[in-house]
Amino acid sequence: MRFLTVAGLLFMTFGFAAGHAQEQKDHPCGLEAACSVDERLYRAKPPEGWDGKQALPVLIHFHGWKRDSKHPLKNPKVLSAINQNGALLVAPEGLGRTWDFWDRGNRDVPFVRAVIEDVAKRYPIDKSRIFATGFSYGSAMAWRVACDSADLIAGILPAAGTLFRQESMTCPTGPVNVMHVHGFKDNVMDLPLGPDGDPNAAVDLWRRTNLCAAEPDGQETLNGHDCRTWSTCQSGKEVMLCLHQRGHIVPKGWIATALERALRKYRLGENS
């Protein structure tokens, strides 16, 4: 009887190990075995229940300052978003656990492009539905990718971080769909305000890039937030600014709700 118990335990142990190894083989670049591009790392995770064949939309998640690529793969908010929406999570890792989003010609946008090229070799992906999100410095990195590589992504869904000096900035790759959320009480990466405290200044770069009017042309409730929308821009792309009264956070449910809306409305190469 004791022999059977030990044998059973050994079978369960080796069976689990074999199953885990098979999972890593079937779904590369996960928590235990990051993939490498240009001597840098990224991780990926498909949604639960994926059949291994259907082409997946992609959510690129840029981690916050001093986080790493493992963090999004263990974050319940992020995992809920990809599982609810059937998307592939891709989590690049910044050098020194940070991002170089400050200026054009940076090291990280080419890295992101290389990551997507590598992901497409390992997973069947829908290249017309690649989206980027991130928090804080990761949010600013999503902005930088959108500004410098609008040909790569269908839209961004960032939280609590923008690019600085928007008034003197242009985006050479053209318009892109944007859904941005930010708190009035954020004292880490402050909400940019215009004259008389106008919060619309927070998305001035996208309003100009997408050829939108100065004032929003609509209002929408998203994830419980009152959002200002510029949906009749000359470019055919959309800008949405959602505001809350809290600080430096990703509001609960934001990523899942924003991704669901983006998947319904946005395709690369198509107008909203």
Side-chain angles (χ1 to χ4, degrees):
M1 183 69 178
R2 183 178 180 184
F3 171 78
L4 291 176
T5 302
V6 172
L9 289 172
L10 288 172
F11 176 80
M12 291 175 61
T13 300
F14 286 108
F16 174 81
H20 188 67
Q22 182 64 34
E23 181 181 359
Q24 284 297 322
K25 180 180 178 182
D26 293 342
H27 306 316
C29 312
L31 280 172
E32 302 301 324
C35 287
S36 176
V37 174
D38 298 334
E39 300 183 349
R40 295 181 59 179
L41 302 179
Y42 77 90
R43 301 177 192 273
K45 186 178 186 344
E48 292 179 353
W50 178 54
D51 62 9
K53 299 177 181 179
Q54 182 178 357
L56 295 169
V58 175
L59 180 66
I60 308 170
H61 190 289
F62 297 106
H63 60 76
W65 187 69
K66 292 304 177 184
R67 299 285 189 177
D68 60 23
S69 59
K70 290 184 177 181
H71 186 259
L73 272 68
K74 298 187 290 185
N75 187 318
K77 295 178 182 178
V78 181
L79 296 179
S80 176
I82 65 163
N83 290 330
Q84 287 180 38
N85 292 288
L88 176 69
L89 172 62
V90 174
E93 183 159 307
L95 290 176
R97 298 189 175 188
T98 189
W99 298 107
D100 179 16
F101 56 79
W102 305 98
D103 296 298
R104 192 170 299 150
N106 61 77
R107 70 190 178 208
D108 283 341
V109 170
F111 167 58
V112 173
R113 187 175 291 276
V115 165
I116 294 301
E117 291 176 358
D118 194 67
V119 167
K121 298 174 183 176
R122 301 174 184 272
Y123 290 91
I125 64 171
D126 182 349
K127 292 185 178 180
S128 73
R129 297 194 296 171
I130 298 176
F131 303 94
T133 187
F135 169 61
S136 191
Y137 267 39
S139 177
M141 186 62 210
W143 275 54
R144 174 54 68 186
V145 169
C147 190
D148 292 3
S149 293
D151 62 308
L152 181 66
I153 58 175
I156 58 172
L157 331 167
T162 67
L163 294 179
F164 302 105
R165 304 184 299 277
Q166 290 186 44
E167 65 281 357
S168 61
M169 189 179 300
T170 59
C171 294
T173 55
V176 63
N177 295 298
V178 173
M179 286 187 277
H180 182 82
V181 66
H182 217 130
F184 279 102
K185 296 179 182 178
D186 192 330
N187 59 6
V188 178
M189 294 190 79
D190 296 357
L191 175 71
L193 299 174
D196 300 320
D198 181 12
N200 292 346
V203 290
D204 178 66
L205 174 63
W206 303 122
R207 182 189 59 77
R208 289 185 287 105
T209 301
N210 289 358
L211 304 177
C212 307
E215 296 297 322
D217 50 60
Q219 190 166 346
E220 184 174 331
T221 300
L222 185 66
N223 194 45
H225 299 90
D226 290 328
C227 303
R228 305 157 188 231
T229 59
W230 289 259
S231 55
T232 59
C233 306
Q234 294 180 37
S235 65
K237 304 298 182 183
E238 182 181 70
V239 179
M240 174 179 283
L241 173 63
C242 299
L243 302 168
H244 57 81
Q245 296 297 327
R246 287 166 288 172
H248 195 59
I249 62 167
V250 180
K252 183 178 180 181
W254 166 258
I255 302 174
T257 304
L259 180 58
E260 187 276 331
R261 184 180 184 277
L263 287 169
R264 282 191 290 107
K265 292 180 65 70
Y266 306 148
R267 295 289 189 282
L268 188 63
E270 296 182 5
N271 292 337
S272 299

